[in-house]
Amino acid sequence: MSDGTTAHKVVIIGGGFGGLVAAQSLNKTPAEVTLIDRRNFHLFQPLLYQVATGALSPANIASPLRSILKRQKNTHVLLGEVTGFDIPGKAVLLKDGTRVPFDTLIVATGSTHHYFGKADWAERAPGLKTVEDATEVRRRVLSAFERAERTTDPKERARQLTFVVVGGGPTGVEMAGAISELAKYTLRADFRSVDPATARVVLIEGQPKVLGAFHEKLSAKALKALHGMGIEVMLDAHVNAIEPHYVLVQPDDKAVAPVRIDTETVVWAAGVKASPLGQVLADAIGGVTVGRGGHVPVNPDCTVGNRPDIFVIGDMASLPGTNGKPLPGLAPVATQQGEYVAGVIVRRLKGETPKGPFRYFDKGTMATIGRGQAVAESMGFRFSGLLAWLAWLFIHIMYLARFENRMLVLFQWFWNYVTRNRTARLITGERPTGTRGA
Amino acid sequence: MSDGTTAHKVVIIGGGFGGLVAAQSLNKTPAEVTLIDRRNFHLFQPLLYQVATGALSPANIASPLRSILKRQKNTHVLLGEVTGFDIPGKAVLLKDGTRVPFDTLIVATGSTHHYFGKADWAERAPGLKTVEDATEVRRRVLSAFERAERTTDPKERARQLTFVVVGGGPTGVEMAGAISELAKYTLRADFRSVDPATARVVLIEGQPKVLGAFHEKLSAKALKALHGMGIEVMLDAHVNAIEPHYVLVQPDDKAVAPVRIDTETVVWAAGVKASPLGQVLADAIGGVTVGRGGHVPVNPDCTVGNRPDIFVIGDMASLPGTNGKPLPGLAPVATQQGEYVAGVIVRRLKGETPKGPFRYFDKGTMATIGRGQAVAESMGFRFSGLLAWLAWLFIHIMYLARFENRMLVLFQWFWNYVTRNRTARLITGERPTGTRGA
């Protein structure tokens, strides 16, 4: 495809785990890489819940894409929003009218929250996908304690001190655990009228166990740890209303009446769907039907439909693993696909024989519940408790993109561990009257 | 005023330097202290320009008020917005209708930007008073570089790479220096189409010298340092228009035509006025006339009018110093007034003779221009260059409210010094289409 005088143009959309690693894997190759993202930074999403609970600052888990890629001479970062594709003309279309031509295209714009068609829920129950999501959740959680301190009405106080997390996967479990620790330890002595330790944290999960992707035993351990922290876990139950002052939870056993939980703070960690750009791409290519969650079905080499020049990777792609089930929407899958696809492209440029199909190498999964408590499984081994927690800390530190952030996170975790303080607990973002908001 | 059974109620409005120190100085006294603020944190405003230029995160210079005061048993923090006063009834009125009764009142809500009646300017030229101000300035500065990278029009590129700072006091000088360093060093290798080092930074000051409060020699050194960094300094000149794509600067020499500077990014560091609550308080007391900048004239003991029970301190107060000129709006003035007023109250509670009038002990002032360059004067001594810069670093670290923040700032400064990197350069706050903004 390269004619020898003009470099082969690889355009990557999305600077998350998949897109960034694809770009990095194309360093020092003959390809000319353009990485397009709406944001100017790569975000380490697995730690967003720590921003939402005041343990870390957004910048600690976000690294400017230009900074990461500045020494990579064949790569260009473009801040922009992709709105469409000209497939026959081989170009990506940006919102401002720019056409970005490609020889090979990699689409990796990830996933977003899925509220199953309930448009109101997005406002009432923010999730954790962006920096703004995290600072908004932080604002809501901390403001609820403030309102509890202000009121003299015991019913309102109880409502303000009730936090509902919807979804018992890793994000939901981590978020519930972090809110509980915030209330029980960090804020313990902060208030005069309320005892934050009386806060109620409710975790709602539709399946019969939390951490459904983990082994039974680890799910059971996680549940026990959650109970040990005083978190109420409702299994086999679905939220069927999120209203301004309460949620309604319907147990799957329809003989049981819906449970009303009075709360002002709901965090969404339940459903995700592929970024809407997946649908746009499928329509532009034609003959490709996205799945129920908007995922783009890909060929075994991560190409789409009959287009060897277009790849979809990461959370947006739907590809069966060796067990026949679709690969999970996890950072390691995206990362490995990014590396793999870069390898496919380089082989083509060199005229070598194509690589075999993508194989996900599952190094393991882990989730943390709270201080000293985590579960992990790797290569058939299962860990829980302190060992799993230390492994979780180590791995998350190592995967942070930049040395400075590793040091900053490490210091804050250490400090948090020793003092149980979380100093990044700022209520920001809402315009206080009389000052200019941002 | 205390009747022996009910504690004497001291209400402090504002958790800035003055209000916070007043509260801390009343620790372990018989007074019952309530500190009211709209925000849940104390903000170290002198370092906001470092947030605005990506060197620090907001949480590094902000400490939760509850956290600072949590061990101070006689003190209660109230998050709320004061809208008025019932002086005869001795109560503070909050926006939500709450009445907070006081025996003694301390008002310390500081200052805000003064755009001299130009309502449009607030939006076009944000200043640096709040966390939201700083993240907004950061967004604008970084976005301008991104737009410069995108355009192919040399005139637009030049406009995007022009940054105007209005006001040559410490904040303006520090901001101009930081933008220049960001462009010349931090972003040097980040872009492919533009050379950020070609950015133009223009500092506009109405007086014949920058850092007008400093000795002539230091002002001259600061000017030389600014020139050495390539910053254009326009002295004796006033901005008379701030439009969406340019500013007009009128030199005081009216024979010279106004100068048009094409720019998309203007930072306001020129005028401040007292928080509007000063006027509200003066009206409520009666017989008190606020000054032109809304400052409340106070008696030598910081009380207002004929009210021995009402104090105004910090940027909001107007009190002549020993030289007859009003004391400057600086953190040390506010801090010393906070301590002083707490002392006055404690003496009264003990029935001791009143303290003498407030005397400001001027330990000195300093301003930093850039890496290794600062000016400082203290007790008749004047320093500049590296020594002043090291003193600046040391003093600012020491005055940060919490140990954790001292360590985090120190590490980031060290890292910034060694690598010239500033990792907190996130473009946040504007709602990217398709995601929920905050």
Side-chain angles (χ1 to χ4, degrees), chain B residues 69-84:
Chain B
L69 295 166
K70 73 178 175 185
R71 284 185 229 291
Q72 194 166 318
K73 296 301 175 203
N74 67 335
T75 303
H76 176 88
V77 174
L78 191 59
L79 205 69
E81 185 175 346
V82 175
T83 50

Side-chain angles (χ1 to χ4, degrees), chain A residues 7 25 51 62 67 88-89 107 114 123 150 169 227 242 268 275 307 310 356 369 390:
Chain A
S25 305
V51 173
S67 191
V107 183
H114 194 3
E123 183 51 41
R150 292 289 303 282
H227 284 155
I242 302 179
W268 188 259
S275 137
R307 301 293 310 210
I310 303 179
I369 301 132
L390 290 172

Side-chain angles (χ1 to χ4, degrees), chain B residues 30-96:
Chain B
E32 183 189 305
V33 180
T34 301
L35 177 62
I36 307 176
D37 201 299
R38 291 191 301 214
R39 308 305 296 260
N40 76 327
F41 50 85
H42 168 74
L43 180 65
F44 195 79
Q45 284 182 344
L47 289 177
L48 268 180
Y49 80 97
Q50 298 217 352
V51 173
T53 51
L56 296 175
S57 282
N60 301 148
I61 62 164
S63 303
L65 287 167
R66 295 194 185 282
S67 192
I68 300 174
L69 295 166
K70 73 178 175 185
R71 284 185 229 291
Q72 194 166 318
K73 296 301 175 203
N74 67 335
T75 303
H76 176 88
V77 174
L78 191 59
L79 205 69
E81 185 175 346
V82 175
T83 50
F85 302 91
D86 173 3
I87 300 293
K90 299 199 72 159
V92 168
L93 311 177
L94 303 192
K95 196 179 182 185
D96 67 356

Side-chain angles (χ1 to χ4, degrees), chain A residues 38-41 57-59 62 64 66-67 69-70 72-73 75-76 78-81 94-96 98 122 126 130-133 135-136 142 146 149-150 186 189-193 402-405 407-408 411-412 415 421 423-429 432-433 435-438, chain B residues 38-41 57-59 62 64 66-67 69-70 72-73 75-76 78-81 94-96 98 122 126 130-133 135-136 142 146 149-150 186 189-193 402-405 407-408 411-412 415 421 423-429 432-433 435-438:
Chain A
R38 290 190 303 213
R39 309 306 296 262
N40 76 327
F41 50 83
S57 283
R66 295 194 184 283
S67 191
L69 295 167
K70 71 178 174 185
Q72 193 167 319
K73 296 301 174 202
T75 303
H76 176 88
L78 191 59
L79 205 69
E81 185 174 346
L94 303 193
K95 197 179 181 184
D96 66 357
T98 311
T130 67
V131 163
E132 286 78 7
D133 285 342
T135 52
E136 172 65 13
L142 296 173
E146 295 292 341
E149 172 85 348
R150 292 289 303 282
T186 309
D190 272 18
F191 295 89
R192 297 293 178 259
S193 309
R402 299 180 64 81
F403 178 77
E404 182 184 3
N405 279 343
M407 291 300 106
L408 291 172
F411 175 75
Q412 287 172 97
W415 199 246
N421 200 357
T423 49
R425 43 184 215 277
L426 312 183
I427 300 178
T428 56
T433 319
T435 68
R436 227 178 31 70
Chain B
R38 291 191 301 214
R39 308 305 296 260
N40 76 327
F41 50 85
S57 282
R66 295 194 185 282
S67 192
L69 295 166
K70 73 178 175 185
Q72 194 166 318
K73 296 301 175 203
T75 303
H76 176 88
L78 191 59
L79 205 69
E81 185 175 346
L94 303 192
K95 196 179 182 185
D96 67 356
T98 311
T130 67
V131 164
E132 286 79 6
D133 285 342
T135 52
E136 172 65 11
L142 296 173
E146 295 292 341
E149 172 86 348
R150 290 291 302 282
T186 309
D190 272 17
F191 295 90
R192 298 293 178 258
S193 309
R402 299 180 64 80
F403 177 77
E404 182 184 4
N405 279 343
M407 291 300 106
L408 291 172
F411 175 74
Q412 286 173 98
W415 198 246
N421 200 358
T423 48
R425 44 185 215 277
L426 312 184
I427 300 178
T428 55
T433 320
T435 68
R436 228 179 29 72

